[in-house]
mmCIF file of all heavy atoms in Angstrom:
data_model
loop_
_atom_site.group_PDB
_atom_site.id
_atom_site.type_symbol
_atom_site.label_atom_id
_atom_site.label_comp_id
_atom_site.label_asym_id
_atom_site.label_seq_id
_atom_site.Cartn_x
_atom_site.Cartn_y
_atom_site.Cartn_z
ATOM 1 N N LEU A 45 -1.821 13.180 6.668
ATOM 2 C CA LEU A 45 -0.478 13.115 6.104
ATOM 3 C C LEU A 45 0.528 14.017 6.815
ATOM 4 O O LEU A 45 1.736 13.829 6.691
ATOM 5 C CB LEU A 45 -0.524 13.509 4.622
ATOM 6 C CG LEU A 45 -1.256 12.524 3.697
ATOM 7 C CD1 LEU A 45 -1.538 13.164 2.365
ATOM 8 C CD2 LEU A 45 -0.446 11.263 3.513
ATOM 9 N N LYS A 46 0.048 15.005 7.555
ATOM 10 C CA LYS A 46 0.939 16.009 8.143
ATOM 11 C C LYS A 46 1.881 15.411 9.187
ATOM 12 O O LYS A 46 1.453 14.768 10.138
ATOM 13 C CB LYS A 46 0.107 17.130 8.770
ATOM 14 C CG LYS A 46 0.922 18.371 9.126
ATOM 15 C CD LYS A 46 0.004 19.485 9.598
ATOM 16 C CE LYS A 46 0.795 20.750 9.929
ATOM 17 N NZ LYS A 46 -0.073 21.829 10.421
ATOM 18 N N LYS A 47 3.185 15.613 8.995
ATOM 19 C CA LYS A 47 4.225 15.197 9.941
ATOM 20 C C LYS A 47 4.206 13.697 10.245
ATOM 21 O O LYS A 47 4.519 13.266 11.356
ATOM 22 C CB LYS A 47 4.117 15.995 11.243
ATOM 23 C CG LYS A 47 4.421 17.472 11.078
ATOM 24 C CD LYS A 47 4.370 18.189 12.397
ATOM 25 C CE LYS A 47 4.679 19.670 12.231
ATOM 26 N NZ LYS A 47 4.613 20.401 13.513
ATOM 27 N N ARG A 48 3.845 12.894 9.272
ATOM 28 C CA ARG A 48 3.898 11.445 9.455
ATOM 29 C C ARG A 48 3.986 10.780 8.093
ATOM 30 O O ARG A 48 3.564 11.343 7.085
ATOM 31 C CB ARG A 48 2.668 10.936 10.209
ATOM 32 C CG ARG A 48 1.467 10.775 9.289
ATOM 33 C CD ARG A 48 0.112 10.638 9.902
ATOM 34 N NE ARG A 48 -0.003 9.744 11.002
ATOM 35 C CZ ARG A 48 -1.150 9.582 11.678
ATOM 36 N NH1 ARG A 48 -2.231 10.263 11.328
ATOM 37 N NH2 ARG A 48 -1.222 8.769 12.688
ATOM 38 N N LYS A 49 4.534 9.583 8.079
ATOM 39 C CA LYS A 49 4.529 8.788 6.855
ATOM 40 C C LYS A 49 3.221 8.016 6.795
ATOM 41 O O LYS A 49 2.788 7.435 7.798
ATOM 42 C CB LYS A 49 5.718 7.829 6.842
ATOM 43 C CG LYS A 49 7.064 8.520 6.738
ATOM 44 C CD LYS A 49 8.189 7.498 6.784
ATOM 45 C CE LYS A 49 9.557 8.184 6.741
ATOM 46 N NZ LYS A 49 10.665 7.216 6.861
ATOM 47 N N THR A 50 2.587 8.039 5.647
ATOM 48 C CA THR A 50 1.330 7.322 5.489
ATOM 49 C C THR A 50 1.417 6.419 4.271
ATOM 50 O O THR A 50 1.728 6.872 3.168
ATOM 51 C CB THR A 50 0.150 8.299 5.325
ATOM 52 O OG1 THR A 50 0.136 9.211 6.438
ATOM 53 C CG2 THR A 50 -1.169 7.560 5.291
ATOM 54 N N TYR A 51 1.159 5.138 4.513
ATOM 55 C CA TYR A 51 1.285 4.127 3.459
ATOM 56 C C TYR A 51 -0.088 3.589 3.067
ATOM 57 O O TYR A 51 -0.939 3.368 3.933
ATOM 58 C CB TYR A 51 2.145 2.961 3.941
ATOM 59 C CG TYR A 51 3.536 3.346 4.375
ATOM 60 C CD1 TYR A 51 3.783 3.757 5.691
ATOM 61 C CD2 TYR A 51 4.616 3.282 3.508
ATOM 62 C CE1 TYR A 51 5.059 4.104 6.119
ATOM 63 C CE2 TYR A 51 5.894 3.623 3.920
ATOM 64 C CZ TYR A 51 6.111 4.034 5.222
ATOM 65 O OH TYR A 51 7.372 4.370 5.636
ATOM 66 N N LEU A 52 -0.276 3.357 1.782
ATOM 67 C CA LEU A 52 -1.458 2.659 1.291
ATOM 68 C C LEU A 52 -1.034 1.258 0.883
ATOM 69 O O LEU A 52 -0.128 1.089 0.055
ATOM 70 C CB LEU A 52 -2.069 3.377 0.084
ATOM 71 C CG LEU A 52 -2.951 4.592 0.359
ATOM 72 C CD1 LEU A 52 -3.487 5.144 -0.953
ATOM 73 C CD2 LEU A 52 -4.104 4.253 1.294
ATOM 74 N N VAL A 53 -1.679 0.263 1.470
ATOM 75 C CA VAL A 53 -1.416 -1.128 1.122
ATOM 76 C C VAL A 53 -2.475 -1.558 0.116
ATOM 77 O O VAL A 53 -3.666 -1.607 0.445
ATOM 78 C CB VAL A 53 -1.468 -2.043 2.368
ATOM 79 C CG1 VAL A 53 -1.187 -3.492 1.990
ATOM 80 C CG2 VAL A 53 -0.486 -1.560 3.428
ATOM 81 N N THR A 54 -2.071 -1.828 -1.121
ATOM 82 C CA THR A 54 -3.038 -2.098 -2.169
ATOM 83 C C THR A 54 -2.506 -3.138 -3.152
ATOM 84 O O THR A 54 -1.339 -3.530 -3.103
ATOM 85 C CB THR A 54 -3.422 -0.792 -2.899
ATOM 86 O OG1 THR A 54 -4.537 -1.029 -3.749
ATOM 87 C CG2 THR A 54 -2.258 -0.253 -3.716
ATOM 88 N N TYR A 55 -3.403 -3.575 -4.061
ATOM 89 C CA TYR A 55 -3.033 -4.608 -5.028
ATOM 90 C C TYR A 55 -2.068 -4.095 -6.090
ATOM 91 O O TYR A 55 -2.110 -2.926 -6.480
ATOM 92 C CB TYR A 55 -4.276 -5.147 -5.725
ATOM 93 C CG TYR A 55 -5.146 -6.039 -4.869
ATOM 94 C CD1 TYR A 55 -6.534 -5.912 -4.900
ATOM 95 C CD2 TYR A 55 -4.586 -7.019 -4.044
ATOM 96 C CE1 TYR A 55 -7.349 -6.740 -4.129
ATOM 97 C CE2 TYR A 55 -5.392 -7.842 -3.270
ATOM 98 C CZ TYR A 55 -6.763 -7.697 -3.320
ATOM 99 O OH TYR A 55 -7.561 -8.508 -2.557
ATOM 100 N N GLN A 56 -1.231 -4.989 -6.581
ATOM 101 C CA GLN A 56 -0.312 -4.673 -7.673
ATOM 102 C C GLN A 56 -1.058 -4.142 -8.887
ATOM 103 O O GLN A 56 -0.578 -3.279 -9.614
ATOM 104 C CB GLN A 56 0.463 -5.935 -8.089
ATOM 105 C CG GLN A 56 1.357 -6.527 -7.021
ATOM 106 C CD GLN A 56 2.756 -5.950 -7.052
ATOM 107 O OE1 GLN A 56 3.022 -4.996 -7.766
ATOM 108 N NE2 GLN A 56 3.634 -6.524 -6.262
ATOM 109 N N THR A 57 -2.268 -4.668 -9.124
ATOM 110 C CA THR A 57 -3.027 -4.321 -10.329
ATOM 111 C C THR A 57 -3.600 -2.908 -10.310
ATOM 112 O O THR A 57 -4.134 -2.443 -11.306
ATOM 113 C CB THR A 57 -4.194 -5.317 -10.510
ATOM 114 O OG1 THR A 57 -4.935 -5.389 -9.282
ATOM 115 C CG2 THR A 57 -3.662 -6.706 -10.839
ATOM 116 N N ASN A 58 -3.490 -2.207 -9.181
ATOM 117 C CA ASN A 58 -4.047 -0.856 -9.067
ATOM 118 C C ASN A 58 -3.041 0.228 -9.443
ATOM 119 O O ASN A 58 -3.192 1.378 -9.046
ATOM 120 C CB ASN A 58 -4.511 -0.591 -7.618
ATOM 121 C CG ASN A 58 -5.782 -1.360 -7.287
ATOM 122 O OD1 ASN A 58 -6.521 -1.736 -8.171
ATOM 123 N ND2 ASN A 58 -5.997 -1.591 -6.015
ATOM 124 N N PHE A 59 -2.048 -0.138 -10.224
ATOM 125 C CA PHE A 59 -0.934 0.773 -10.463
ATOM 126 C C PHE A 59 -1.370 2.138 -11.003
ATOM 127 O O PHE A 59 -0.884 3.178 -10.567
ATOM 128 C CB PHE A 59 0.059 0.131 -11.438
ATOM 129 C CG PHE A 59 1.305 0.948 -11.622
ATOM 130 C CD1 PHE A 59 2.278 0.980 -10.632
ATOM 131 C CD2 PHE A 59 1.501 1.700 -12.768
ATOM 132 C CE1 PHE A 59 3.425 1.746 -10.785
ATOM 133 C CE2 PHE A 59 2.640 2.465 -12.931
ATOM 134 C CZ PHE A 59 3.603 2.484 -11.943
ATOM 135 N N LYS A 60 -2.326 2.179 -11.931
ATOM 136 C CA LYS A 60 -2.763 3.453 -12.523
ATOM 137 C C LYS A 60 -3.481 4.326 -11.497
ATOM 138 O O LYS A 60 -3.285 5.546 -11.450
ATOM 139 C CB LYS A 60 -3.669 3.197 -13.727
ATOM 140 C CG LYS A 60 -2.940 2.631 -14.938
ATOM 141 C CD LYS A 60 -3.869 2.476 -16.118
ATOM 142 C CE LYS A 60 -3.130 1.924 -17.334
ATOM 143 N NZ LYS A 60 -4.030 1.743 -18.492
ATOM 144 N N LYS A 61 -4.312 3.700 -10.655
ATOM 145 C CA LYS A 61 -5.065 4.458 -9.647
ATOM 146 C C LYS A 61 -4.143 5.036 -8.568
ATOM 147 O O LYS A 61 -4.484 6.007 -7.906
ATOM 148 C CB LYS A 61 -6.104 3.556 -8.971
ATOM 149 C CG LYS A 61 -7.246 3.122 -9.871
ATOM 150 C CD LYS A 61 -8.222 2.278 -9.068
ATOM 151 C CE LYS A 61 -9.398 1.819 -9.917
ATOM 152 N NZ LYS A 61 -10.330 0.984 -9.127
ATOM 153 N N VAL A 62 -3.002 4.396 -8.403
ATOM 154 C CA VAL A 62 -2.068 4.787 -7.354
ATOM 155 C C VAL A 62 -1.527 6.200 -7.545
ATOM 156 O O VAL A 62 -1.195 6.893 -6.581
ATOM 157 C CB VAL A 62 -0.902 3.766 -7.307
ATOM 158 C CG1 VAL A 62 0.355 4.364 -6.687
ATOM 159 C CG2 VAL A 62 -1.315 2.530 -6.523
ATOM 160 N N GLN A 63 -1.452 6.668 -8.771
ATOM 161 C CA GLN A 63 -0.807 7.947 -9.078
ATOM 162 C C GLN A 63 -1.435 9.121 -8.330
ATOM 163 O O GLN A 63 -0.742 10.018 -7.856
ATOM 164 C CB GLN A 63 -0.837 8.205 -10.588
ATOM 165 C CG GLN A 63 -0.122 7.143 -11.424
ATOM 166 C CD GLN A 63 1.274 6.837 -10.905
ATOM 167 O OE1 GLN A 63 2.090 7.739 -10.668
ATOM 168 N NE2 GLN A 63 1.572 5.552 -10.715
ATOM 169 N N PHE A 64 -2.762 9.128 -8.213
ATOM 170 C CA PHE A 64 -3.435 10.212 -7.495
ATOM 171 C C PHE A 64 -2.957 10.276 -6.051
ATOM 172 O O PHE A 64 -2.613 11.354 -5.533
ATOM 173 C CB PHE A 64 -4.953 10.040 -7.517
ATOM 174 C CG PHE A 64 -5.675 10.939 -6.544
ATOM 175 C CD1 PHE A 64 -5.922 12.269 -6.851
ATOM 176 C CD2 PHE A 64 -6.066 10.467 -5.297
ATOM 177 C CE1 PHE A 64 -6.558 13.109 -5.936
ATOM 178 C CE2 PHE A 64 -6.700 11.301 -4.377
ATOM 179 C CZ PHE A 64 -6.946 12.616 -4.705
ATOM 180 N N PHE A 65 -2.926 9.126 -5.401
ATOM 181 C CA PHE A 65 -2.540 9.090 -3.992
ATOM 182 C C PHE A 65 -1.067 9.415 -3.802
ATOM 183 O O PHE A 65 -0.677 10.021 -2.805
ATOM 184 C CB PHE A 65 -2.891 7.730 -3.393
ATOM 185 C CG PHE A 65 -4.375 7.497 -3.274
ATOM 186 C CD1 PHE A 65 -5.057 6.730 -4.200
ATOM 187 C CD2 PHE A 65 -5.084 8.072 -2.234
ATOM 188 C CE1 PHE A 65 -6.419 6.534 -4.090
ATOM 189 C CE2 PHE A 65 -6.451 7.887 -2.112
ATOM 190 C CZ PHE A 65 -7.126 7.121 -3.048
ATOM 191 N N LYS A 66 -0.236 9.044 -4.745
ATOM 192 C CA LYS A 66 1.183 9.403 -4.682
ATOM 193 C C LYS A 66 1.351 10.917 -4.704
ATOM 194 O O LYS A 66 2.164 11.483 -3.965
ATOM 195 C CB LYS A 66 1.946 8.771 -5.848
ATOM 196 C CG LYS A 66 2.415 7.351 -5.591
ATOM 197 C CD LYS A 66 3.356 6.900 -6.700
ATOM 198 C CE LYS A 66 3.977 5.555 -6.392
ATOM 199 N NZ LYS A 66 4.923 5.119 -7.453
ATOM 200 N N LYS A 67 0.577 11.580 -5.559
ATOM 201 C CA LYS A 67 0.655 13.042 -5.667
ATOM 202 C C LYS A 67 0.194 13.711 -4.370
ATOM 203 O O LYS A 67 0.641 14.814 -4.041
ATOM 204 C CB LYS A 67 -0.186 13.534 -6.838
ATOM 205 C CG LYS A 67 0.404 13.177 -8.200
ATOM 206 C CD LYS A 67 -0.496 13.649 -9.328
ATOM 207 C CE LYS A 67 0.091 13.254 -10.679
ATOM 208 N NZ LYS A 67 -0.789 13.653 -11.802
ATOM 209 N N GLN A 68 -0.694 13.031 -3.636
ATOM 210 C CA GLN A 68 -1.183 13.571 -2.372
ATOM 211 C C GLN A 68 -0.182 13.389 -1.235
ATOM 212 O O GLN A 68 -0.332 13.960 -0.163
ATOM 213 C CB GLN A 68 -2.506 12.892 -1.985
ATOM 214 C CG GLN A 68 -3.666 13.195 -2.930
ATOM 215 C CD GLN A 68 -4.074 14.651 -2.887
ATOM 216 O OE1 GLN A 68 -4.209 15.234 -1.817
ATOM 217 N NE2 GLN A 68 -4.270 15.244 -4.054
ATOM 218 N N GLY A 69 0.852 12.563 -1.474
ATOM 219 C CA GLY A 69 1.875 12.354 -0.456
ATOM 220 C C GLY A 69 1.880 10.973 0.171
ATOM 221 O O GLY A 69 2.682 10.697 1.073
ATOM 222 N N PHE A 70 0.993 10.103 -0.276
ATOM 223 C CA PHE A 70 0.973 8.728 0.242
ATOM 224 C C PHE A 70 2.141 7.932 -0.319
ATOM 225 O O PHE A 70 2.527 8.097 -1.471
ATOM 226 C CB PHE A 70 -0.332 8.025 -0.150
ATOM 227 C CG PHE A 70 -1.542 8.500 0.587
ATOM 228 C CD1 PHE A 70 -2.316 9.532 0.085
ATOM 229 C CD2 PHE A 70 -1.933 7.911 1.779
ATOM 230 C CE1 PHE A 70 -3.448 9.975 0.756
ATOM 231 C CE2 PHE A 70 -3.058 8.345 2.454
ATOM 232 C CZ PHE A 70 -3.819 9.384 1.943
ATOM 233 N N LYS A 71 2.655 7.016 0.497
ATOM 234 C CA LYS A 71 3.619 6.036 0.030
ATOM 235 C C LYS A 71 2.858 4.741 -0.219
ATOM 236 O O LYS A 71 1.883 4.464 0.458
ATOM 237 C CB LYS A 71 4.734 5.837 1.067
ATOM 238 C CG LYS A 71 5.509 7.118 1.341
ATOM 239 C CD LYS A 71 6.584 6.918 2.395
ATOM 240 C CE LYS A 71 7.285 8.232 2.714
ATOM 241 N NZ LYS A 71 7.954 8.829 1.551
ATOM 242 N N ILE A 72 3.295 3.969 -1.196
ATOM 243 C CA ILE A 72 2.527 2.814 -1.646
ATOM 244 C C ILE A 72 3.260 1.513 -1.343
ATOM 245 O O ILE A 72 4.456 1.380 -1.590
ATOM 246 C CB ILE A 72 2.239 2.906 -3.162
ATOM 247 C CG1 ILE A 72 1.632 4.269 -3.532
ATOM 248 C CG2 ILE A 72 1.324 1.761 -3.590
ATOM 249 C CD1 ILE A 72 0.307 4.582 -2.873
ATOM 250 N N ILE A 73 2.510 0.550 -0.785
ATOM 251 C CA ILE A 73 3.013 -0.815 -0.607
ATOM 252 C C ILE A 73 2.154 -1.712 -1.489
ATOM 253 O O ILE A 73 0.958 -1.903 -1.232
ATOM 254 C CB ILE A 73 2.930 -1.267 0.863
ATOM 255 C CG1 ILE A 73 3.798 -0.368 1.743
ATOM 256 C CG2 ILE A 73 3.369 -2.723 0.997
ATOM 257 C CD1 ILE A 73 3.699 -0.692 3.228
ATOM 258 N N LEU A 74 2.740 -2.249 -2.550
ATOM 259 C CA LEU A 74 2.007 -3.092 -3.488
ATOM 260 C C LEU A 74 2.117 -4.558 -3.077
ATOM 261 O O LEU A 74 3.205 -5.060 -2.787
ATOM 262 C CB LEU A 74 2.558 -2.907 -4.904
ATOM 263 C CG LEU A 74 2.380 -1.510 -5.518
ATOM 264 C CD1 LEU A 74 3.100 -1.416 -6.853
ATOM 265 C CD2 LEU A 74 0.907 -1.149 -5.678
ATOM 266 N N ILE A 75 0.967 -5.245 -3.059
ATOM 267 C CA ILE A 75 0.942 -6.667 -2.699
ATOM 268 C C ILE A 75 0.103 -7.430 -3.718
ATOM 269 O O ILE A 75 -0.666 -6.835 -4.475
ATOM 270 C CB ILE A 75 0.367 -6.876 -1.285
ATOM 271 C CG1 ILE A 75 -1.068 -6.340 -1.204
ATOM 272 C CG2 ILE A 75 1.244 -6.240 -0.226
ATOM 273 C CD1 ILE A 75 -1.767 -6.683 0.100
ATOM 274 N N ASP A 76 0.250 -8.752 -3.714
ATOM 275 C CA ASP A 76 -0.531 -9.597 -4.626
ATOM 276 C C ASP A 76 -1.820 -10.073 -3.979
ATOM 277 O O ASP A 76 -2.851 -10.215 -4.636
ATOM 278 C CB ASP A 76 0.297 -10.812 -5.068
ATOM 279 C CG ASP A 76 1.486 -10.421 -5.929
ATOM 280 O OD1 ASP A 76 1.303 -9.581 -6.829
ATOM 281 O OD2 ASP A 76 2.590 -10.935 -5.685
ATOM 282 N N SER A 77 -1.769 -10.332 -2.679
ATOM 283 C CA SER A 77 -2.933 -10.896 -1.987
ATOM 284 C C SER A 77 -2.834 -10.601 -0.494
ATOM 285 O O SER A 77 -1.751 -10.369 0.040
ATOM 286 C CB SER A 77 -2.981 -12.408 -2.226
ATOM 287 O OG SER A 77 -4.030 -13.002 -1.482
ATOM 288 N N LEU A 78 -3.981 -10.608 0.184
ATOM 289 C CA LEU A 78 -4.011 -10.439 1.640
ATOM 290 C C LEU A 78 -5.125 -11.327 2.216
ATOM 291 O O LEU A 78 -5.930 -10.896 3.026
ATOM 292 C CB LEU A 78 -4.231 -8.974 2.015
ATOM 293 C CG LEU A 78 -3.800 -8.556 3.435
ATOM 294 C CD1 LEU A 78 -2.310 -8.789 3.651
ATOM 295 C CD2 LEU A 78 -4.131 -7.107 3.708
ATOM 296 N N LYS A 79 -5.136 -12.580 1.758
ATOM 297 C CA LYS A 79 -6.194 -13.495 2.157
ATOM 298 C C LYS A 79 -5.755 -14.513 3.198
ATOM 299 O O LYS A 79 -6.517 -14.848 4.104
ATOM 300 C CB LYS A 79 -6.731 -14.234 0.923
ATOM 301 C CG LYS A 79 -7.451 -13.332 -0.068
ATOM 302 C CD LYS A 79 -7.960 -14.140 -1.250
ATOM 303 C CE LYS A 79 -8.692 -13.240 -2.252
ATOM 304 N NZ LYS A 79 -9.172 -14.019 -3.429
ATOM 305 N N SER A 80 -4.546 -15.009 3.077
ATOM 306 C CA SER A 80 -4.093 -16.090 3.942
ATOM 307 C C SER A 80 -3.227 -15.574 5.080
ATOM 308 O O SER A 80 -2.803 -14.416 5.100
ATOM 309 C CB SER A 80 -3.293 -17.110 3.130
ATOM 310 O OG SER A 80 -2.046 -16.535 2.728
ATOM 311 N N LYS A 81 -2.936 -16.466 6.024
ATOM 312 C CA LYS A 81 -2.049 -16.129 7.133
ATOM 313 C C LYS A 81 -0.662 -15.777 6.613
ATOM 314 O O LYS A 81 -0.039 -14.823 7.095
ATOM 315 C CB LYS A 81 -1.965 -17.309 8.101
ATOM 316 C CG LYS A 81 -1.080 -17.031 9.319
ATOM 317 C CD LYS A 81 -1.155 -18.156 10.338
ATOM 318 C CE LYS A 81 -0.334 -17.815 11.584
ATOM 319 N NZ LYS A 81 -0.481 -18.847 12.641
ATOM 320 N N ASN A 82 -0.199 -16.502 5.613
ATOM 321 C CA ASN A 82 1.120 -16.212 5.039
ATOM 322 C C ASN A 82 1.167 -14.829 4.394
ATOM 323 O O ASN A 82 2.190 -14.144 4.459
ATOM 324 C CB ASN A 82 1.498 -17.279 4.016
ATOM 325 C CG ASN A 82 1.911 -18.587 4.668
ATOM 326 O OD1 ASN A 82 2.286 -18.606 5.840
ATOM 327 N ND2 ASN A 82 1.825 -19.680 3.939
ATOM 328 N N ASP A 83 0.040 -14.417 3.770
ATOM 329 C CA ASP A 83 -0.031 -13.075 3.181
ATOM 330 C C ASP A 83 0.111 -12.009 4.269
ATOM 331 O O ASP A 83 0.823 -11.008 4.098
ATOM 332 C CB ASP A 83 -1.364 -12.871 2.454
ATOM 333 C CG ASP A 83 -1.510 -13.735 1.217
ATOM 334 O OD1 ASP A 83 -0.480 -14.146 0.661
ATOM 335 O OD2 ASP A 83 -2.656 -13.999 0.817
ATOM 336 N N LEU A 84 -0.587 -12.214 5.380
ATOM 337 C CA LEU A 84 -0.552 -11.251 6.476
ATOM 338 C C LEU A 84 0.836 -11.206 7.115
ATOM 339 O O LEU A 84 1.345 -10.130 7.432
ATOM 340 C CB LEU A 84 -1.609 -11.618 7.523
ATOM 341 C CG LEU A 84 -3.063 -11.399 7.078
ATOM 342 C CD1 LEU A 84 -4.023 -12.162 7.994
ATOM 343 C CD2 LEU A 84 -3.409 -9.923 7.055
ATOM 344 N N ILE A 85 1.446 -12.380 7.285
ATOM 345 C CA ILE A 85 2.802 -12.423 7.850
ATOM 346 C C ILE A 85 3.786 -11.716 6.919
ATOM 347 O O ILE A 85 4.688 -11.006 7.374
ATOM 348 C CB ILE A 85 3.240 -13.878 8.106
ATOM 349 C CG1 ILE A 85 2.437 -14.472 9.264
ATOM 350 C CG2 ILE A 85 4.736 -13.953 8.423
ATOM 351 C CD1 ILE A 85 2.684 -15.941 9.517
ATOM 352 N N SER A 86 3.599 -11.909 5.619
ATOM 353 C CA SER A 86 4.458 -11.246 4.643
ATOM 354 C C SER A 86 4.350 -9.721 4.768
ATOM 355 O O SER A 86 5.363 -9.016 4.698
ATOM 356 C CB SER A 86 4.076 -11.687 3.228
ATOM 357 O OG SER A 86 4.857 -11.019 2.261
ATOM 358 N N LEU A 87 3.138 -9.216 4.983
ATOM 359 C CA LEU A 87 2.942 -7.774 5.187
ATOM 360 C C LEU A 87 3.620 -7.336 6.480
ATOM 361 O O LEU A 87 4.302 -6.294 6.518
ATOM 362 C CB LEU A 87 1.448 -7.438 5.227
ATOM 363 C CG LEU A 87 1.108 -5.964 5.525
ATOM 364 C CD1 LEU A 87 1.705 -5.049 4.463
ATOM 365 C CD2 LEU A 87 -0.399 -5.765 5.624
ATOM 366 N N TYR A 88 3.455 -8.112 7.550
ATOM 367 C CA TYR A 88 4.121 -7.812 8.822
ATOM 368 C C TYR A 88 5.631 -7.696 8.628
ATOM 369 O O TYR A 88 6.274 -6.773 9.139
ATOM 370 C CB TYR A 88 3.859 -8.929 9.831
ATOM 371 C CG TYR A 88 2.520 -8.891 10.538
ATOM 372 C CD1 TYR A 88 1.548 -7.954 10.212
ATOM 373 C CD2 TYR A 88 2.228 -9.805 11.545
ATOM 374 C CE1 TYR A 88 0.329 -7.936 10.869
ATOM 375 C CE2 TYR A 88 1.011 -9.799 12.209
ATOM 376 C CZ TYR A 88 0.057 -8.863 11.864
ATOM 377 O OH TYR A 88 -1.145 -8.844 12.524
ATOM 378 N N LYS A 89 6.208 -8.652 7.898
ATOM 379 C CA LYS A 89 7.657 -8.664 7.688
ATOM 380 C C LYS A 89 8.114 -7.428 6.907
ATOM 381 O O LYS A 89 9.186 -6.861 7.178
ATOM 382 C CB LYS A 89 8.083 -9.940 6.968
ATOM 383 C CG LYS A 89 8.054 -11.185 7.849
ATOM 384 C CD LYS A 89 8.548 -12.419 7.124
ATOM 385 C CE LYS A 89 8.569 -13.636 8.019
ATOM 386 N NZ LYS A 89 9.580 -13.563 9.094
ATOM 387 N N LYS A 90 7.315 -7.009 5.941
ATOM 388 C CA LYS A 90 7.648 -5.799 5.182
ATOM 389 C C LYS A 90 7.655 -4.583 6.107
ATOM 390 O O LYS A 90 8.555 -3.739 6.029
ATOM 391 C CB LYS A 90 6.625 -5.575 4.062
ATOM 392 C CG LYS A 90 6.805 -6.494 2.863
ATOM 393 C CD LYS A 90 5.812 -6.142 1.764
ATOM 394 C CE LYS A 90 6.000 -7.056 0.557
ATOM 395 N NZ LYS A 90 5.066 -6.729 -0.545
#
């Protein structure tokens, strides 16, 4: 985490678990799925 932005890409449903990582300094990218090509392209676009 030192001197860099660090993002966790995780499911929308993990909202409660996310709090620990937020406190550690992680930034969160919430997604619904990462199975199809369109899902991956959507992540790329973000």
Side-chain angles (χ1 to χ4, degrees):
L45 292 166
K46 193 174 181 181
K47 294 183 180 179
R48 81 196 315 177
K49 293 178 182 177
T50 305
Y51 302 87
L52 280 181
V53 180
T54 191
Y55 287 138
Q56 297 271 9
T57 52
N58 287 338
F59 186 75
K60 289 184 179 179
K61 292 182 180 179
V62 157
Q63 300 311 310
F64 167 80
F65 291 100
K66 274 190 173 181
K67 289 178 181 178
Q68 294 294 314
F70 287 91
K71 299 179 184 299
I72 309 299
I73 298 176
L74 295 174
I75 60 172
D76 294 315
S77 175
L78 201 60
K79 294 180 180 179
S80 69
K81 182 173 184 175
N82 285 339
D83 292 337
L84 290 163
I85 290 174
S86 178
L87 176 60
Y88 280 5
K89 286 183 178 292
K90 284 184 179 181

